[in-house]
């Protein structure tokens, strides 16, 4: 493998433990329309998919309500739900290690909330490129976002590595020809597995040549 010049991050489940934020956000929408809270399968789904697909999944039995649900969702202020997000404690230290020698980017199925999240957690300046599901025609697991990042930053697939935590990320990276570091998911098929960001430093692709 060539020297790593670009590290791309997933957001939810990697940079942030956002499971409880997703639970609160989507259950708030369900409650507003008189529907019960999500079960664990539904929570797993919304944790990995972009918001439009998640809303369709959660209201799959109530298709007539989807236009109203979508309008409400677009008007809903996401900021109250940010208090349920927990940034990985060693993320800032890891970013300091990577930059400026290596480029950093985010490929996420978040949409309009990503800019807000980065701003509130003071991470905006830490990434050279951020591509959300809103920025592409085909969101993850399609490789479009990852391919766009590599093209924009002038980095080849064999110089890139992705840190993700789900099968969506595995499919995303495999389609783009990029190796995957599985974050806190030992069951996920991946080239490497870690339980914290600083463990990444010890992986073979990051060893000094």
């Amino acid at each position: 493998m060539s020297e790593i010049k670009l590290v791309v991050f997933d957001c939810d489940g990697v940079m942030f433990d956002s499971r409880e934020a997703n639970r609160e956000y989507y259950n708030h929408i369900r409650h507003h329309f008189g529907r019960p809270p999500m079960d664990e399968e539904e929570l797993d789904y919304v944790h990995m998919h972009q918001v439009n697909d998640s809303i369709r999944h959660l209201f799959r039995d109530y298709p007539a309500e989807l236009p109203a649900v979508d309008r409400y969702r677009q008007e809903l202020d996401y900021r109250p739900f940010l208090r349920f997000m927990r940034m990985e404690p060693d993320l800032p230290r890891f970013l300091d290690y990577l930059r400026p020698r290596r480029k950093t980017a985010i490929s996420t199925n978040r949409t309009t909330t990503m800019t807000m999240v980065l701003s509130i957690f003071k991470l905006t300046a830490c990434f050279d490129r951020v591509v959300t599901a809103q920025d592409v025609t085909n969101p993850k697991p399609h490789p479009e976002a990852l391919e766009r990042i590599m093209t924009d930053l002038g980095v080849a697939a064999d110089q890139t590595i992705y840190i993700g935590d789900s099968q969506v990320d595995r499919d995303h990276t495999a389609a783009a020809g990029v190796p995957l570091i599985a974050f806190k998911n030992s069951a996920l098929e991946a080239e490497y597995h870690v339980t914290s960001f600083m463990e990444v430093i010890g992986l073979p692709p990051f060893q000094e040549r």
Side-chain angles (χ1 to χ4, degrees):
M1 185 173 183
S2 300
E3 179 185 359
I4 296 298
K5 295 184 177 180
L6 169 63
V7 180
V8 186
F9 295 74
D10 180 31
C11 177
D12 297 282
V14 176
M15 294 169 56
F16 297 92
D17 180 351
S18 54
R19 190 173 179 86
E20 290 308 309
N22 284 330
R23 188 194 304 273
E24 295 290 331
Y25 175 73
Y26 286 105
N27 278 345
H28 173 89
I29 296 173
R30 297 261 293 197
H31 177 75
H32 182 82
F33 287 89
R35 304 303 174 192
M38 296 179 291
D39 59 29
E40 289 302 306
E41 179 277 328
E42 290 170 326
L43 179 57
D44 287 342
Y45 184 93
V46 303
H47 197 55
M48 292 187 291
H49 292 80
Q50 56 109 348
V51 64
N52 293 324
D53 290 340
S54 296
I55 290 294
R56 284 194 292 269
H57 183 71
L58 294 179
F59 287 84
R60 60 196 181 279
D61 295 329
Y62 319 104
E65 296 181 1
L66 282 173
V69 173
D70 195 53
R71 284 194 299 272
Y72 180 74
R73 188 268 303 173
Q74 292 184 54
E75 295 169 357
L76 183 62
D77 185 357
Y78 190 77
R79 281 172 292 187
F81 303 99
L82 288 173
R83 64 190 177 94
F84 297 102
M85 295 184 70
R86 299 289 180 266
M87 185 170 68
E88 284 294 321
D90 60 346
L91 176 60
R93 183 182 170 198
F94 182 55
L95 289 168
D96 285 344
Y97 160 78
L98 293 174
R99 296 170 62 85
R101 178 180 173 184
R102 298 178 176 94
K103 296 182 182 298
T104 52
I106 298 171
S107 172
T108 176
N109 270 344
R110 276 187 177 268
T111 54
T112 56
T113 59
M114 192 69 244
T115 299
M116 182 191 307
V117 169
L118 292 177
S119 175
I120 287 176
F121 285 92
K122 297 179 171 55
L123 294 172
T124 303
C126 296
F127 294 94
D128 299 289
R129 191 74 170 85
V130 178
V131 177
T132 72
Q134 185 174 254
D135 301 321
V136 293
T137 303
N138 305 290
K140 296 193 303 182
H142 193 281
E144 181 182 348
L146 194 45
E147 290 171 347
R148 180 177 297 187
I149 289 169
M150 292 187 291
T151 297
D152 289 351
L153 297 180
V155 180
D158 66 352
Q159 299 170 319
T160 302
I161 204 160
Y162 187 93
I163 307 176
D165 70 317
S166 70
Q167 187 61 45
V168 170
D169 296 323
R170 170 72 282 180
D171 295 341
H172 183 50
T173 56
V178 170
L180 172 67
I181 300 173
F183 192 81
K184 294 185 176 181
N185 187 349
S186 60
L188 182 64
E189 180 187 349
E191 284 75 15
Y192 307 99
H193 294 81
V194 298
T195 58
S196 70
F197 282 121
M198 294 311 292
E199 286 180 44
V200 174
I201 294 173
L203 296 178
F206 291 84
Q207 297 306 296
E208 296 293 335
R209 297 176 183 273

